[in-house]
Amino acid sequence: MVARPHILLIQADQMAAACLPFHGHPVVQAPHLAALAACGTVFESAYCNVPLCAPSRFSMMAGRLASTIDAFDNACEFPASIPTFAHLLRGAGYRTALSGKMHFVGPDQFHGFEERLTTDIYPADFLWTPDWRLGVDQRFIDLTPVRESGLCKRSVQIDYDEEVVFEAERLIFDHARSSDDRPLFLTVSFTHPHDPYIARKRAWDRYDPADIDLPRVPFIEIDARDPHSRDISIHHGMDLYRPTEEDLRRTRHAYYANITMVDEWVGRLLGALDDCGMAGTTAIVFTADHGEMLGERGQWYKKTFFEPAARVPLVIAEPGGTPRRVTGPVSLLDLMPSLAEIGGASLDPLPDGVDGDSLMPVVRGAPAVPDRTIASELMSEGTAGPIVMLRRDRWKYIASSAYPARLYDLANDPDELVNRAGDAAVEEVEASLAAEVAEGWDFDVLTRRILTSQQRRLAIRGPLAEGIVAAWDFQPVKDASAVYYRGKSARSGLRTGDVA
């Protein structure tokens, strides 16, 4: 084990764990990710903190439940006063850099990173603020991405991720040939395979259309879905169009091809580390912010706690580590203390502590903690009130003041087709989980906080768009006088055999 390794955190967007070969998918091709998984620790039951981009990322970086930092939806401000793992590692002597999407909302576009290599792909203002006062049937999106899925020559998302990987590669080489002797903490965050479901031909052609599988759970009529699934289906416009089998296969084909594109970019990053002599001194973490329903049950996108949307890939590979697989539930809340432990950063300065546990003891061979409960939350548009999911052992419990409780036995019902809530045979399990929710969440208070947050932001959103607009979006600035042949360039050659 390297005492103070470089750290590379790679994050995909909307990548379902079950769609990866190291989780058993028979079709998807991701050889670089499979090789990483083969030499690291694979967490079989890792969950996002919120099945939605921005709040999941804020919660992950802070190591705290989204509700505790008011990270309710995709237009909530991430306060500059919230400590993140980037702050901790920077304070511990790391060079901290971000390339790609982190969906920061608000005027602080760094949150502990000393360098940002790209702008973000999504807006940094309050544009996407929801309004629960208008009801759950506000339609933020429809199934156009499914109807229009397929091949493309180029897209905004491809442009973005190509820039992300190029800038990240360049930073790795720059760090290796610089005089900066600090270890590097580099976060590289892609926007793929998030919809739209369109892919380049070279990735598309790696799949035989005949091999593209259909959803494990076929279409469930909207009226037969649980109440929240009905609401989110209408919110996503699923009541307006029912995809055909051709739609399903074409869309899943494009999604798989986009996973393959992410894998290619991961291969470039790993190759850059190897070329710079940093591969043996770098801890690598791979994950995603949330998953994707991809037509399972007739549902798409996220904002639900079914396994395809809530479960994420998580691999941690330390230099010289032993490969292993961990079946017990963990969450992205665990990344903050895990990264701190890898980098030798103390959690003591954090006045609010963290809501996760370091995974490094398990990565290094310790047994997993038995009977651990992990939590996830949903407080965004498309719901009639906040929802909490608890996962303990084989059980998944979903509670809300706005919807009936649900309880699934994932060991015997992995597709979550039988709601055991109210079943006398498991009433002790349900009572225990319900008591844990009641102790940790006051839904009435939380609902008032969410509504107040929305109304504050809605009151601000309009005026901020008037007159002189001071955009919060990060603007990358490059000093062309300090690169290439200017007599003071730090980019001298990296010779074969040179090491970081």
Side-chain angles (χ1 to χ4, degrees):
M1 185 176 68
V2 178
R4 283 172 58 77
H6 304 292
I7 304 172
L8 174 61
L9 169 61
I10 308 171
Q11 188 165 48
D13 194 335
Q14 205 160 302
M15 183 181 282
C19 290
L20 289 168
F22 58 85
H23 284 300
H25 200 283
V27 175
V28 174
Q29 300 175 39
H32 298 292
L33 289 171
L36 181 66
C39 66
T41 298
V42 176
F43 292 90
E44 301 275 11
S45 301
Y47 290 88
C48 63
N49 310 320
V50 181
L52 185 64
C53 302
S56 185
R57 291 162 184 269
F58 302 172
S59 180
M60 174 194 74
M61 286 195 68
R64 297 177 59 198
L65 287 165
S67 61
T68 68
I69 58 172
D70 289 359
F72 303 133
D73 54 64
N74 271 347
C76 273
E77 182 180 2
F78 190 18
S81 58
I82 300 295
T84 70
F85 52 56
H87 289 114
L88 288 190
L89 290 169
R90 185 173 177 177
Y94 274 77
R95 177 184 181 183
T96 58
L98 167 64
S99 184
K101 173 184 176 179
M102 202 50 76
H103 209 149
F104 293 148
V105 176
D108 182 358
Q109 288 293 303
F110 288 87
H111 292 285
F113 291 106
E114 61 191 283
E115 299 171 78
R116 286 203 67 171
L117 310 182
T118 70
T119 190
D120 216 310
I121 192 169
Y122 289 154
D125 58 18
F126 297 149
L127 177 65
W128 292 351
T129 302
D131 189 348
W132 277 3
R133 296 171 300 178
L134 301 179
V136 297
D137 58 350
Q138 302 169 73
R139 298 178 187 272
F140 271 44
I141 192 173
D142 60 19
L143 291 187
T144 298
V146 176
R147 294 197 304 269
E148 297 181 355
S149 60
L151 282 163
C152 74
K153 295 288 187 182
R154 197 76 178 179
S155 70
V156 171
Q157 293 196 176
I158 292 172
D159 290 344
Y160 185 77
D161 279 347
E162 288 282 9
E163 179 184 1
V164 168
V165 71
F166 171 79
E167 294 291 351
E169 280 181 300
R170 174 180 247 182
L171 183 75
I172 291 170
F173 281 103
D174 281 354
H175 189 76
R177 59 192 170 182
S178 76
S179 58
D180 192 337
D181 59 2
R182 294 176 297 169
L184 174 65
F185 171 57
L186 173 60
T187 295
V188 183
S189 186
F190 298 108
T191 192
H192 282 85
H194 192 292
D195 59 281
Y197 311 103
I198 51 177
R200 284 186 291 192
K201 190 173 187 300
R202 78 161 187 266
W204 177 279
D205 286 349
R206 291 180 61 173
Y207 294 90
D208 185 337
D211 292 337
I212 304 301
D213 54 328
L214 291 171
R216 278 171 53 95
V217 182
F219 188 90
I220 297 174
E221 295 294 338
I222 291 177
D223 288 344
R225 299 176 190 179
D226 66 87
H228 176 250
S229 292
R230 287 200 296 271
D231 281 352
I232 204 68
S233 296
I234 293 170
H235 169 71
H236 283 157
M238 297 174 196
D239 57 329
L240 303 177
Y241 179 74
R242 180 168 175 171
T244 65
E245 180 175 321
E246 180 186 356
D247 289 331
L248 288 169
R249 292 191 188 276
R250 187 183 65 252
T251 301
R252 290 164 74 92
H253 189 158
Y255 185 80
Y256 296 168
N258 285 338
I259 292 177
T260 297
M261 284 205 304
V262 172
D263 184 78
E264 291 178 3
W265 293 321
V266 170
R268 286 172 57 177
L269 297 173
L270 300 182
L273 290 175
D274 191 49
D275 287 344
C276 292
M278 296 167 62
T281 56
T282 301
I284 301 170
V285 179
F286 176 79
T287 192
D289 55 357
H290 53 77
E292 155 73 64
M293 287 303 293
L294 205 62
E296 295 290 338
R297 320 170 74 92
Q299 292 183 222
W300 297 87
Y301 315 127
K302 56 265 189 181
K303 299 181 188 173
T304 176
F305 289 116
F306 290 117
E307 289 287 280
R311 182 171 160 240
V312 295
L314 179 58
V315 179
I316 299 178
E318 278 196 299
T322 302
R324 54 176 45 88
R325 300 182 85 90
V326 177
T327 58
V330 302
S331 92
L332 294 184
L333 289 171
D334 300 325
L335 276 187
M336 159 68 121
S338 300
L339 291 168
E341 185 166 347
I342 292 172
S346 173
L347 299 178
D348 292 342
L350 303 178
D352 304 300
V354 293
D355 294 320
D357 297 326
S358 175
L359 301 174
M360 299 319 295
V362 176
V363 170
R364 294 165 183 169
V369 177
D371 300 322
R372 185 185 182 206
T373 303
I374 63 97
S376 185
E377 303 169 308
L378 184 61
M379 302 162 285
S380 67
E381 63 278 0
T383 70
I387 310 174
V388 171
M389 183 274 281
L390 299 183
R391 171 72 198 274
R392 182 198 300 161
D393 191 29
R394 64 199 248 195
W395 300 101
K396 178 191 284 187
Y397 181 65
I398 302 168
S400 172
S401 59
Y403 300 103
R406 287 179 281 154
L407 178 66
Y408 298 107
D409 178 355
L410 295 182
N412 296 309
D413 178 27
D415 294 324
E416 302 166 279
L417 295 173
V418 181
N419 180 9
R420 302 291 300 277
D423 185 339
V426 294
E427 62 182 353
E428 290 186 8
V429 172
E430 182 177 2
S432 173
L433 291 165
E436 194 163 343
V437 172
E439 181 179 355
W441 289 265
D442 184 324
F443 285 124
D444 290 339
V445 171
L446 182 54
T447 298
R448 288 195 294 271
R449 287 173 49 211
I450 294 167
L451 285 166
T452 300
S453 170
Q454 291 176 357
Q455 290 167 41
R456 283 180 184 144
R457 288 177 280 141
L458 290 168
I460 291 170
R461 184 177 66 181
L464 285 182
E466 300 296 329
I468 298 173
V469 177
W472 291 338
D473 306 279
F474 175 67
Q475 304 292 332
V477 176
K478 299 187 184 301
D479 182 2
S481 71
V483 295
Y484 306 120
Y485 293 105
R486 301 291 192 268
K488 54 182 178 180
S489 173
R491 290 193 173 113
S492 58
L494 187 69
R495 300 180 303 276
T496 302
D498 282 354
V499 295

